[in-house]
Amino acid sequence: QSVLTQPPSASGTPGQRVTISCSGSSSNIGSNPVNWYQQLPGSAPKLLIYSNNQRPSGVPDRFSGSRSGTSASLAISGLQSEDEADYYCAAWDDSLIGPVFGGGTELTVL
Amino acid sequence: QLQLQESGPGLVKPSETLSLTCTVSGGSISGSSHYWGWIRQPPGKGLQWIGHIFYTGSTYYNSSLMSRVTISVDTSKNQFSLRLSSVSAADTALYYCVRRNSGWRAFDYWGQGTLVTVSS
């Protein structure tokens, strides 16, 4: 069981906007910034969003993040076939004294 | 460009100790304001943080693994290492070495990962 809860799967058609949710608690998302990672098939994860809504250099602005209370979400607009990947949310947990991850969401581009 | 590369045995026997090393190139561990750590991913499953270390040697470990984990740093070689004792099949996973950006509070650099299988 992952500390953060994500839907196991999501899907969309090219050009569509999709969102992936991440639910936590007051000890993690409720009090610490959320990060999102993209893992393409056969590759290592890559940082996509940090500090809730910041994009590292090189990440397209089609990707955006938000946080509200003990939940966060990742939005992908103008969906492209190359966005097909697993997406993980993460946040520091004050009770566990370490970062925790969601179980991951497998995004399919139909 | 910073690069991280894992190395170590791909097969470990049950009850023995798993040992991996991460070599950092394109930047120095010593004096860095960031942390260096390990994350693993069992086949077909999600990510699990193992722990991370500062160049001075201070460490954070996942409480569920703390009794078996040691992360150390060798600044002279620009490397850091993972030791996981008393392994079982449940420790079979892809092991990634990572940099934790202390300002961003996120893992911003990842190695390619190395598969470690625990089997007799």
Side-chain angles (χ1 to χ4, degrees), chain A residues 19-33:
Chain A
T19 61
I20 297 172
S21 62
C22 177
S23 176
S25 68
S26 58
S27 65
N28 41 65
I29 294 178
S31 51
N32 293 289

Side-chain angles (χ1 to χ4, degrees), chain A residues 4 7 24 27 47 59 68 81 85 95:
Chain A
L4 305 181
S27 65
L47 180 63
V59 174
S68 178
S81 58
S95 298

Side-chain angles (χ1 to χ4, degrees), chain A residues 32 35 37 39 44 50 88 99, chain B residues 41 49 96 104-105 107 110-111:
Chain A
N32 293 289
N35 307 311
Y37 300 89
Q39 186 173 32
Y50 68 95
Y88 294 90
Chain B
Q41 183 173 34
W49 170 72
Y96 296 101
W104 291 2
R105 300 179 67 184
F107 300 108
W110 296 65

Side-chain angles (χ1 to χ4, degrees), chain B residues 92-107:
Chain B
T92 293
L94 256 175
Y95 284 77
Y96 296 101
C97 60
V98 296
R99 187 182 84 167
R100 181 169 173 83
N101 187 308
S102 57
W104 291 2
R105 300 179 67 184
F107 300 108

